[in-house]
Structures are given as structure tokens and as C-alpha cells.
Amino acid sequence: MPHIPLESHLPGITGLLEYRQDTAAPIRELTQILLRGESSLSEAERELIATLVSSRNQCRFCTAAHTAAANILLGETQTCAQVIDDFEQAELGEKMKALLAIAALVQQNGKNVTSAAVDRAKNAGATDREIHDTVLIAALFCLYNKYVDGLASVTPGEGTFYQKLGERITSNGYNRMPAIYEQLKKEQA
């Protein structure tokens, strides 16, 4: 049960963003830029960063949502599972492993990011912007995870919900979609 009154048909961060649309607007814009904007990292790679951080923060809603989005973008389900289990052993390139290592350090404490971790990423071909964006995505998802769990927003248990959410994320990005929200309300009634 959420700690504050939220729309029950809008679980997770969606209900929180609707609760304060004024604060949601810049959050949505930043998320859209980082996860769907121009980048040398693919959308799937950026979703993997979100998935890793959310799983390490034990945020069930965000982990399930971003795993679903990454799985759709990747066209398979093994990579996310491997990243959550042990990204160093996942079937990924060295650059992505190094960026995930940085994201994991940020998730623990931003001061844990070392020159050695950054050098590893650079030696694997990561650009300064990719390193920057990895740190910012990781920090942003720490905020989201704490936001969702700190207010005890509704966390659906079924995979069907997250599959649909992943489809919405991959097709519409992180923009506000009032028509979808009304559809969810009708489905719940």
C-alpha cells in the first residue's frame, strides 16, 4: 500500500509522476534524452544499465520494467538475466562490461568510481560521453528506485503487465501518455 494516495491503476513510478506532474516533466525529459536520445550507446545498452542498477537496488518494479524493455530491444531474454546475475560473465563486449562496472560502482556510491574503472572503459573503447551518460543513467536510476520504493508505490507481480509496459517504453519512450493512463483505468475497473 502506497504511503500517499496514488492512482491505483498507475503502478510504480507512473503513479508518482502523475501525482506531481510539475516535477515529473523535467524527470521525464531527462530520461527521454538519456535513454532514447542521440547516443553511441544503443537503447538496449542504456536499458541494460537501468536494469543492472535497479536490480542491485532491489527495486522490483524498475527491474521488471527495464528488463522487459531491454529484452524487447535485444530481441531475446538471456542478456538481461546474465547482466543481473553477473555482468562480468555475460555475453557482452568488453566496453559494455566496463560501463556496467562503472554503473555498479555508482549504484554503491558515486565516490567508488575510480580512475582504474574509467581507464578500463576507455581502453575498451568507451568515449567520455558514454562514460558520462553511464554515470548519469546509473545515478538517475538510483533516484527512481528510491522514489518508487520510498513511497511504496504499487508493484504488480505479473509478467504480462511488465511486457505491456516494456512495449510502451520501447514504442513511446518516457513521454507522458494520458490516453494510455485512461485505458489502464478502464482495464482495472
Side-chain angles (χ1 to χ4, degrees):
M1 175 114 174
H3 296 309
I4 60 173
L6 298 171
E7 297 280 341
S8 61
H9 67 287
L10 299 175
I13 198 165
T14 310
L16 297 169
L17 295 174
E18 280 300 289
Y19 181 82
R20 282 287 310 261
Q21 291 181 31
D22 57 338
T23 59
I27 289 172
R28 287 182 186 282
E29 183 179 4
L30 180 57
T31 309
Q32 185 68 20
I33 290 167
L34 284 173
L35 274 72
R36 293 294 175 271
E38 181 184 323
S39 177
S40 53
L41 295 175
S42 72
E43 291 179 1
E45 289 170 328
R46 291 176 276 170
E47 290 289 348
L48 284 175
I49 296 166
T51 299
L52 175 69
V53 171
S54 297
S55 70
R56 288 181 171 229
N57 282 328
Q58 300 176 12
C59 181
R60 287 181 33 237
F61 179 86
C62 295
T63 302
H66 296 284
T67 295
N71 286 345
I72 290 167
L73 291 166
L74 292 166
E76 46 90 354
T77 60
Q78 297 84 6
T79 302
C80 269
Q82 291 173 354
V83 164
I84 290 168
D85 184 51
D86 181 358
F87 67 86
E88 293 288 5
Q89 300 303 314
E91 295 178 25
L92 296 168
E94 184 55 35
K95 179 176 92 171
M96 195 62 211
K97 287 180 184 181
L99 291 172
L100 288 170
I102 290 172
L105 292 168
V106 170
Q107 179 271 328
Q108 294 168 358
N109 182 330
K111 292 181 180 183
N112 287 357
V113 179
T114 63
S115 295
V118 171
D119 288 345
R120 175 186 174 196
K122 286 183 176 185
N123 290 337
T127 66
D128 288 343
R129 181 168 171 178
E130 290 170 337
I131 293 165
H132 170 276
D133 289 359
T134 296
V135 170
L136 188 51
I137 291 167
L140 190 60
F141 274 85
C142 285
L143 176 145
Y144 293 155
N145 302 154
K146 292 174 189 328
Y147 189 31
V148 167
D149 289 341
L151 286 167
S153 65
V154 174
T155 300
E158 78 272 2
T160 304
F161 170 83
Y162 294 106
Q163 180 62 31
K164 289 180 183 177
L165 180 57
E167 290 167 4
R168 283 197 305 273
I169 289 170
T170 56
S171 62
N172 299 305
Y174 294 92
N175 300 304
R176 186 172 180 269
M177 300 178 298
I180 297 288
Y181 303 159
E182 288 304 313
Q183 176 67 29
L184 290 169
K185 192 173 197 171
K186 288 177 187 173
E187 288 174 8
Q188 188 182 42

